[in-house]
Amino acid sequence: MPHNVRVCIIGAGVAGLKAAHTLLTAPNTPFGSTDVVVVEAQHRVGGRIKTDTTRSKLGAQYDLGASWFHDALNNSVLRECVADGSFDVRSDGYFDDKTIAYYVSEVSGRLDAEEMKLRQVVEDIESFIEIYYANHDSPDMSLRDVVGLYMEQQQAFLSEEQINYCSRMVRYLELWHGIDHVHMSGKYAVMSHQGRNLYNRKGFSHLINLLMQTVGPSVLTGRPVKRIQRKSRGTSSRHIAETADGSVFSADYLVVTVPHSVLTLDAGHEHGITWEPPLPRSMTDSISNMHFGALGKVVLEFESVWWDNNEDRFSILANGRAECGSGSAKPFEYPLYVVNYARIYAGTPSLVVLIQSPVTEHLEANPHLAWPYMRSMLSKLKVPTCITVPEPINVIVTDWSLNPYSRGSYCAPHVGDDPIDEVVQLSGEQDLCGLGAGSTVRFAGEHTISHGAGCVHGAFDSGERAARWILAHNESSNAASS
Amino acid sequence: MPHNVRVCIIGAGVAGLKAAHTLLTAPNTPFGSTDVVVVEAQHRVGGRIKTDTTRSKLGAQYDLGASWFHDALNNSVLRECVADGSFDVRSDGYFDDKTIAYYVSEVSGRLDAEEMKLRQVVEDIESFIEIYYANHDSPDMSLRDVVGLYMEQQQAFLSEEQINYCSRMVRYLELWHGIDHVHMSGKYAVMSHQGRNLYNRKGFSHLINLLMQTVGPSVLTGRPVKRIQRKSRGTSSRHIAETADGSVFSADYLVVTVPHSVLTLDAGHEHGITWEPPLPRSMTDSISNMHFGALGKVVLEFESVWWDNNEDRFSILANGRAECGSGSAKPFEYPLYVVNYARIYAGTPSLVVLIQSPVTEHLEANPHLAWPYMRSMLSKLKVPTCITVPEPINVIVTDWSLNPYSRGSYCAPHVGDDPIDEVVQLSGEQDLCGLGAGSTVRFAGEHTISHGAGCVHGAFDSGERAARWILAHNESSNAASS
């Protein structure tokens, strides 16, 4: 017997929970708790938001997934959490954007990036890329190659040090997208931001908990959806979602928030979803024209702080010559981005290191190799009074690439990808795209939206978008039938 | 008896000289030296480019007008001068863009802008303004007011120091536009750039000299144009330009490169131009919807360097409370932007201080007041070992606002101005605007172009644009009549 509901939401990440929350709390909403079900594959909610409070040996907490409010000038989640009093910017936030300190294998101590005007050249490279791709005929190429083009054309304008360091510095983008510069689309590598990045000291689970206070009774966990049947009859439709345990949910509206990485799986895949009828070619094409990154984190806890505690962040550059692409990771082959936790949580002696594909997959599968991989790179951060770098007392490695329901971090543009098309096809805003603007199957998630793509607030907004569409559609359907 | 020529170019600034140069050097050009005349009001050429080599007591040279290649990634002048070998980037150029050092009246020594994350907030303010005006319904207001709006809305996100300093730091834009933040349009204050700023160590007169090698024989100086008659008969036209000494030039094509500040003068004004027939309303309206700034420079030469010679540039902030607008200038009422010449020309102990309207008009009219005005502000730059700030051995003050043929620096957007409309009306690129795309009266100059507005390369490109139009028009006219 199917569970009959009005709205079935697939996925209890922030997009799905926000969709349910909007449906249940909109003024004069016709939807109550029993009208809405959120079906979640895993035995936990939150998706790629996960604030860990149990694994620290220092009593600290770590956001293993999202940890910053990006676009702080125009971030709906930040705005709402400040407005409802659940987030106090001064005590719960920290702008960890002091100019990043750079280190390289061949120099001891911090690079004097200021005197060498390295940041200025990195910004120049980004301007160059923007100008280059303002010409729509310019072919996409890897970030590495378009930076190479800059270096070739601008060589006469650059010092030896700028030539040596700046193409390595631009690889900081690998720690935004979670992919390396050989795979990364040069065209879509550089992002525009709407404001600063605010570290969420409170942990992003507070947002999940807040949503769950209202939505909790509608959430069912441990039910991976295996099959989705879209059924339309005239103006009404009735869709079916079937989970691995054989449960069947029948609903007027479906909100599909599974990650891009799951949408790309074949129906025959162990964790794939069978669509009946299959998704139209325009959608499957757009989905396959986008890739998925693997941003990982390695938390290193120490007895005490041994690095320069005047810095918010450190960047350890890769060596220039090394090529990317091998499955294993050699030190200095990929850049590291290191967040100084001791500045964010006064005194907590830990570092949070961001890593990119393919390092992430390698270290997530082999967490015992994380410290051996990083030791020599991180030793660059030593202050002169520190003789040897101590061993960490605790190493925590994320497992996003191992998790069959996340399969990495978030969408990331490879060379030749089209990040806009997937949004057009899945946002349900245009009639001739995807399932059409009138379809009662809606998509949400970080991969379905432009502003905030890859971010908490993007997923959040996309969930709200789906819910508002359903509320409006339901109201106009009722008006039509009365 | 009129001088009959094919093309009469009014103004021997970079726009007019480049127009003439293009006409005379284009492959298979029909125009020889005697076909083209450049009529210049002043007894010198170069317009707002002026490299002074005579007034220094240190044997130095100073560009009293333009001195940087802006948009170095996409600057036609730079590109051409590098290509023809007349400019060697390494020896003739200097990127003086080391992070600027800030000083304020109430703190001794340099501000620790890095630790206080002031630059990050200044960038945030600029993002805020961009987002605010992405909504086309947002009303234009002064830079001061839109920054006030940011401070009001973002207060909870800012430290006391950021609140105190950052709205004063944003006033660096006064030294771009040459106007103060009360008059400046918030909407058009922040500019986008295509690359870094390259200081021209060679002096921009090298460009004028280069153009004059070809164009010189066509240039007549000391002939201010007083009257322009536009005469069209069928498909042919014959225009008349009459100068103050009664000379009359009759030409098929006219290129008008007089500054915006001269175009705004009434016909009855001593330095105004009478148009017969009058310029269409759409043009005069667009011209009056834009203002003209007064960026000035004060060169201070000393016996030796007494400031921190590790810095390229210094910014001395205005005090927060003071209002702008009075004719006289009190110290710390307006910010100063100071270029350390000792870094640009190794060892030359001079500072070049940029000033804005209304300080410029005041000090240009009273150059003896320049040092008394600046002494207390510049004393902030003292290194600790320097007990007292020495008197300068030489003070050079520009006179752009006194010069009746320049009347200031270049176009600058006041609140409510429309910088785009004037370009549309004067660029001659659209048929229904200005004199129409087919008019044989062309306009050029920094005020007639978007990319490079206010800059040498903008003026240069606009002169080339006018010449290329004339070459093409002349060719198609010949083809039609043969």
Side-chain angles (χ1 to χ4, degrees):
Chain A
M1 279 295 292
H3 306 268
N4 285 312
V5 290
R6 298 293 318 281
V7 186
C8 176
I9 297 168
I10 303 174
V14 67
L17 295 178
K18 176 63 177 174
H21 188 269
T22 305
L23 290 171
L24 297 176
T25 60
N28 306 316
T29 180
F31 302 116
S33 279
T34 54
D35 298 314
V36 176
V37 66
V38 183
V39 185
E40 166 58 44
Q42 303 190 58
H43 291 280
R44 56 172 282 276
V45 298
R48 286 163 276 167
I49 286 177
K50 189 176 187 182
T51 308
D52 182 90
T53 56
T54 61
R55 296 170 70 184
S56 171
K57 292 188 178 165
L58 300 169
Q61 65 175 34
Y62 298 100
D63 259 321
L64 300 179
S67 52
W68 284 275
F69 292 103
H70 298 295
D71 301 317
L73 278 178
N74 191 12
N75 182 310
S76 53
V77 178
L78 179 58
R79 201 160 43 230
E80 291 193 18
C81 290
V82 167
D84 70 16
S86 68
F87 190 86
D88 179 85
V89 176
R90 288 194 203 280
S91 57
D92 297 332
Y94 180 75
F95 285 109
D96 64 333
D97 58 356
K98 190 173 168 185
T99 304
I100 195 163
Y102 290 98
Y103 301 82
V104 293
S105 67
E106 67 267 37
V107 175
S108 68
R110 182 181 168 167
L111 274 190
D112 190 354
E114 181 52 33
E115 187 57 35
M116 294 186 274
K117 300 175 187 173
L118 302 182
R119 181 175 56 78
Q120 289 81 340
V121 171
V122 170
E123 286 176 9
D124 207 46
I125 293 173
E126 299 188 352
S127 294
F128 174 87
I129 295 173
E130 189 184 337
I131 295 166
Y132 184 74
Y133 285 111
N135 177 353
H136 294 292
D137 293 333
S138 298
D140 196 7
M141 61 180 84
S142 69
L143 176 66
R144 184 189 60 176
D145 290 350
V146 73
V147 172
L149 201 62
Y150 169 90
M151 289 292 166
E152 204 179 294
Q153 292 185 12
Q154 298 298 117
Q155 199 172 3
F157 291 76
L158 301 171
S159 69
E160 262 182 58
E161 292 148 336
Q162 290 167 339
I163 292 171
N164 181 11
Y165 298 129
C166 293
S167 54
R168 297 153 72 185
M169 287 168 72
V170 184
R171 293 181 64 182
Y172 83 91
L173 288 164
E174 297 185 7
L175 289 320
W176 271 97
H177 294 290
I179 56 178
D180 67 68
H181 69 158
V182 173
H183 290 94
M184 193 185 303
S185 158
K187 190 169 181 171
Y188 296 108
V190 181
M191 290 161 295
S192 66
H193 302 289
Q194 303 201 341
R196 303 166 71 189
N197 304 311
L198 182 69
Y199 196 94
N200 184 343
R201 298 177 73 237
K202 197 166 182 173
F204 262 109
S205 284
H206 84 88
L207 173 64
I208 300 300
N209 297 340
L210 210 63
L211 294 169
M212 283 294 285
Q213 283 175 22
T214 305
V215 174
S218 305
V219 177
L220 295 172
T221 57
R223 315 261 188 126
V225 167
K226 294 300 300 164
R227 179 187 306 270
I228 295 172
Q229 290 175 277
R230 292 177 287 133
K231 296 186 177 176
S232 293
R233 239 189 352 220
T235 59
S236 79
S237 45
R238 200 73 197 162
H239 308 295
I240 305 285
E242 199 182 320
T243 61
D245 64 352
S247 307
V248 174
F249 300 87
S250 165
D252 297 326
Y253 299 100
L254 220 55
V255 181
V256 182
T257 77
V258 302
H260 169 94
S261 55
V262 171
L263 287 178
T264 58
L265 298 176
D266 290 336
H269 188 284
E270 184 190 352
H271 298 97
I273 295 172
T274 303
W275 288 83
E276 292 173 5
L279 290 174
R281 182 67 184 274
S282 67
M283 291 184 87
T284 54
D285 277 358
S286 75
I287 291 165
S288 62
N289 275 330
M290 191 65 190
H291 285 78
F292 207 65
L295 188 76
K297 291 184 184 175
V298 176
V299 180
L300 299 164
E301 296 191 325
F302 296 90
E303 296 270 9
S304 60
V305 174
W306 51 266
W307 53 87
D308 183 353
N309 203 20
N310 291 313
E311 303 303 333
D312 283 343
R313 305 169 295 165
F314 310 98
S315 173
I316 299 155
L317 303 185
N319 287 336
R321 297 295 178 79
E323 291 296 308
C324 301
S326 69
S328 70
K330 296 189 203 73
F332 293 103
E333 198 175 354
Y334 299 89
L336 292 184
Y337 180 99
V338 185
V339 180
N340 179 9
Y341 240 53
R343 287 268 285 197
I344 295 175
Y345 297 94
T348 300
S350 61
L351 297 171
V352 177
V353 186
L354 271 58
I355 49 178
Q356 65 285 71
S357 178
V359 179
T360 302
E361 293 89 331
H362 176 60
L363 296 185
E364 288 190 342
N366 304 281
H368 63 285
L369 296 180
W371 175 242
Y373 168 65
M374 291 177 181
R375 186 196 284 115
S376 62
M377 296 179 79
L378 291 175
S379 72
K380 304 303 297 186
L381 309 184
K382 258 188 341 196
V383 290
T385 53
C386 170
I387 313 285
T388 55
V389 169
E391 293 291 299
I393 58 170
N394 193 19
V395 178
I396 304 169
V397 182
T398 54
D399 64 357
W400 299 109
S401 65
L402 302 172
N403 182 321
Y405 302 109
S406 55
R407 319 183 74 81
S409 51
Y410 43 74
C411 281
H414 279 207
V415 180
D417 280 358
D418 184 345
I420 297 147
D421 192 37
E422 182 171 13
V423 171
V424 169
Q425 298 292 338
L426 297 188
S427 63
E429 288 174 332
Q430 295 188 45
D431 212 24
L432 300 173
C433 296
L435 299 176
S439 170
T440 49
V441 178
R442 314 303 297 177
F443 290 83
E446 60 82 15
H447 54 299
T448 69
I449 194 160
S450 289
H451 175 63
C455 297
V456 173
H457 64 289
F460 184 86
D461 290 349
S462 74
E464 179 168 344
R465 177 186 66 195
R468 297 220 175 277
W469 186 92
I470 290 170
L471 287 163
H473 183 268
N474 182 65
E475 195 174 317
S476 66
S477 302
N478 288 348
S481 63
S482 70
Chain B
M1 281 294 292
H3 305 269
N4 285 311
V5 291
R6 299 293 319 281
V7 186
C8 175
I9 297 169
I10 303 174
V14 67
L17 295 178
K18 176 62 177 175
H21 188 268
T22 304
L23 290 170
L24 297 177
T25 61
N28 305 317
T29 179
F31 301 116
S33 279
T34 55
D35 297 315
V36 176
V37 66
V38 182
V39 185
E40 165 58 43
Q42 303 191 58
H43 292 281
R44 55 172 282 276
V45 298
R48 286 164 277 166
I49 287 177
K50 189 178 187 180
T51 307
D52 182 90
T53 57
T54 62
R55 296 170 71 184
S56 171
K57 292 187 178 166
L58 300 169
Q61 65 174 36
Y62 300 99
D63 259 321
L64 300 179
S67 53
W68 283 276
F69 292 102
H70 298 296
D71 301 316
L73 277 178
N74 191 11
N75 182 312
S76 53
V77 178
L78 179 58
R79 198 159 47 230
E80 292 192 18
C81 291
V82 167
D84 70 17
S86 68
F87 190 87
D88 179 86
V89 175
R90 288 194 204 280
S91 58
D92 298 331
Y94 179 74
F95 286 109
D96 64 334
D97 59 356
K98 189 172 168 187
T99 304
I100 195 162
Y102 290 98
Y103 300 82
V104 293
S105 66
E106 67 267 37
V107 175
S108 67
R110 182 179 168 168
L111 273 190
D112 190 354
E114 181 52 33
E115 186 58 35
M116 294 186 273
K117 300 175 188 173
L118 302 183
R119 183 176 54 78
Q120 290 79 341
V121 171
V122 170
E123 285 177 7
D124 206 45
I125 293 173
E126 299 188 352
S127 294
F128 174 87
I129 295 174
E130 190 184 337
I131 295 166
Y132 183 73
Y133 285 111
N135 176 354
H136 293 291
D137 292 332
S138 298
D140 195 8
M141 62 180 85
S142 68
L143 176 66
R144 184 189 59 178
D145 289 350
V146 73
V147 172
L149 201 63
Y150 170 89
M151 288 292 164
E152 202 180 298
Q153 291 185 13
Q154 298 298 116
Q155 199 172 3
F157 291 77
L158 301 171
S159 68
E160 262 182 58
E161 293 147 336
Q162 290 168 338
I163 291 171
N164 181 11
Y165 298 130
C166 293
S167 53
R168 297 153 72 184
M169 287 168 71
V170 184
R171 293 182 63 181
Y172 83 91
L173 288 164
E174 297 185 7
L175 288 321
W176 272 96
H177 294 290
I179 56 177
D180 67 68
H181 69 157
V182 173
H183 289 93
M184 193 186 301
S185 159
K187 189 168 182 172
Y188 296 109
V190 181
M191 290 160 295
S192 67
H193 302 288
Q194 301 201 342
R196 302 166 70 189
N197 304 311
L198 182 68
Y199 196 93
N200 184 344
R201 297 177 75 237
K202 197 166 182 174
F204 262 109
S205 285
H206 85 89
L207 173 64
I208 300 299
N209 297 338
L210 209 63
L211 294 169
M212 283 295 283
Q213 284 175 19
T214 304
V215 174
S218 303
V219 177
L220 296 171
T221 56
R223 314 260 187 129
V225 167
K226 295 299 300 165
R227 180 188 305 271
I228 296 173
Q229 289 175 276
R230 292 177 286 134
K231 297 185 178 176
S232 293
R233 241 189 352 219
T235 58
S236 81
S237 46
R238 197 74 196 163
H239 309 294
I240 304 286
E242 200 182 319
T243 60
D245 64 352
S247 306
V248 174
F249 300 89
S250 166
D252 297 327
Y253 299 99
L254 220 54
V255 180
V256 182
T257 77
V258 301
H260 169 92
S261 54
V262 171
L263 287 178
T264 59
L265 298 177
D266 290 335
H269 187 283
E270 184 189 351
H271 298 98
I273 295 172
T274 303
W275 287 85
E276 294 174 5
L279 291 173
R281 182 69 185 271
S282 68
M283 292 185 85
T284 54
D285 277 358
S286 76
I287 291 165
S288 61
N289 275 328
M290 191 65 188
H291 285 78
F292 207 65
L295 187 76
K297 290 183 184 175
V298 175
V299 179
L300 299 164
E301 296 191 326
F302 296 91
E303 296 272 7
S304 61
V305 173
W306 51 266
W307 53 87
D308 183 354
N309 204 20
N310 291 313
E311 303 302 334
D312 283 343
R313 305 170 295 164
F314 310 98
S315 174
I316 299 155
L317 302 185
N319 287 336
R321 297 294 177 81
E323 292 295 308
C324 302
S326 69
S328 70
K330 295 187 204 72
F332 293 105
E333 199 176 354
Y334 298 89
L336 292 183
Y337 180 98
V338 186
V339 180
N340 179 9
Y341 240 54
R343 287 268 285 198
I344 295 175
Y345 297 94
T348 299
S350 62
L351 297 171
V352 177
V353 187
L354 271 56
I355 49 178
Q356 65 284 72
S357 178
V359 178
T360 302
E361 292 90 331
H362 177 60
L363 296 185
E364 290 191 341
N366 305 281
H368 62 287
L369 297 180
W371 174 242
Y373 168 65
M374 292 176 178
R375 186 195 284 115
S376 62
M377 296 179 79
L378 291 175
S379 72
K380 305 303 297 187
L381 308 185
K382 260 189 337 200
V383 291
T385 53
C386 170
I387 313 286
T388 54
V389 169
E391 293 290 299
I393 58 168
N394 192 18
V395 179
I396 304 169
V397 182
T398 53
D399 64 356
W400 300 109
S401 65
L402 301 173
N403 183 323
Y405 303 109
S406 56
R407 317 184 75 80
S409 50
Y410 42 73
C411 282
H414 279 206
V415 180
D417 281 358
D418 184 344
I420 297 147
D421 191 37
E422 183 171 11
V423 171
V424 169
Q425 298 292 338
L426 297 187
S427 64
E429 287 175 332
Q430 296 188 43
D431 212 22
L432 299 174
C433 297
L435 299 176
S439 170
T440 49
V441 178
R442 314 303 297 177
F443 289 84
E446 58 84 14
H447 55 299
T448 68
I449 195 160
S450 288
H451 176 64
C455 297
V456 172
H457 63 287
F460 184 87
D461 290 348
S462 73
E464 180 168 344
R465 176 186 66 195
R468 297 220 175 276
W469 186 92
I470 290 169
L471 288 162
H473 183 269
N474 182 65
E475 195 173 318
S476 67
S477 302
N478 288 347
S481 63
S482 71

